[in-house]
Structure formats: structure tokens, C-alpha cells
Amino acid sequence: MLKEFKGFIARGNVLDMAVGIIVGAAFTAIVKSMVDDLINPIIGLIIGGIDFSNMFIVLKGGGGYASLAEARDAGAAVFAYGSFVMAIINFLIIAFVVFMLVRYVNKVKDAAIAEKAAAPAPEAPKGPTQEQLLAEIRDLLKK
């Protein structure tokens, strides 16, 4: 069983998947920072400083809470629609960034394929002609 496991781990696609997961985790941190620290403040500035993440409706447990965190800490049942709106906005931004990244990688890959296809194929080594082969056979038969 240990031998089979080593064979499974040594396969290229398993290693590729592991590298993809590690790079994906690092990429997620970068994109999250870009969304939280760069894009969301710009969106907030454009829409007049509205903070969607703090928009909520108290369903049960009183009212008059200044923030979503305060309402949740008090144990109130809240309908946090602003957090959902922010999650949708974040998803759309992250999906767009991933789309642009994949688009760029595909362009680079297509350019490499086109460059490889455009390169002239090396000529096959020239061998003896049919006449040379027949002459060689004739000479061997004379011996």
C-alpha cells in the first residue's frame, strides 16, 4: 500500500494540483487585499461613502443598534443584506481578476504555440539515393 501511495504522489498531475492549491491560496490573499484595500474604497467613494457591510435589518431582539457587530453581539437576529451585497461585489471583482489572468495566460500560451509552429521544422537528414543503394548492393553481390 505504501508503494502504491508513493506512485500516486509521484504522478505529475498530483504534484501540479498541489502547486496549484498553494499558488491559489497565495493568489487569494493578494486578490482579497486588492479588493478590500484598493477597490472597495474606490467604490465607496463613487457611491458616496456607503458601507454596504454595515447594512442590516433587525428581525428579532430589539432595535437601535449602531452597527451589525453590535447587533450580533447583543444576540439579535439580523438580516445582513449589506454583507451579502459586499460578498457579491467581491465575487464579481475576483472573478473579473481571475478572468483577466486566465486571458493573459492563454494569450502567452497561444503566442508560444504560434511561435513554435512558425519555426521551420529541421530538415530530415539526407540518406543515400536509390541509385547509391542499388550500386552498393551490386558491389556487395560482386564480392
Side-chain angles (χ1 to χ4, degrees):
M1 188 166 117
L2 184 60
K3 194 174 192 178
E4 286 181 56
F5 181 70
K6 284 181 183 178
F8 172 75
I9 292 298
R11 280 195 216 156
N13 54 358
V14 173
L15 295 175
D16 291 344
M17 183 180 68
V19 169
I21 290 170
I22 292 167
V23 170
F27 182 71
T28 299
I30 292 169
V31 172
K32 182 176 179 350
S33 175
M34 183 183 79
V35 168
D36 292 344
D37 302 330
L38 301 176
I39 296 174
N40 283 347
I42 294 170
I43 291 173
L45 184 65
I46 291 171
I47 62 174
I50 298 173
D51 180 16
F52 284 108
S53 63
N54 211 24
M55 293 183 170
F56 63 98
I57 298 171
V58 177
L59 300 175
K60 185 176 181 185
Y65 300 107
S67 69
L68 178 60
E70 184 182 322
R72 285 185 173 160
D73 288 343
V78 293
F79 183 72
Y81 65 91
S83 296
F84 182 70
V85 169
M86 283 308 299
I88 291 172
I89 291 170
N90 289 346
F91 169 77
L92 292 173
I93 292 168
I94 290 170
F96 180 73
V97 169
V98 169
F99 167 74
M100 294 303 288
L101 179 68
V102 169
R103 185 173 174 226
Y104 175 74
V105 168
N106 286 339
K107 279 186 179 182
V108 169
K109 189 172 28 171
D110 290 345
I113 291 171
E115 183 179 309
K116 187 176 179 181
E123 290 187 27
K126 300 241 178 188
T129 65
Q130 186 175 2
E131 289 81 18
Q132 290 171 334
L133 288 174
L134 288 173
E136 189 177 327
I137 293 170
R138 182 195 64 211
D139 295 341
L140 286 172
L141 289 174
K142 282 184 181 180
K143 290 184 183 181

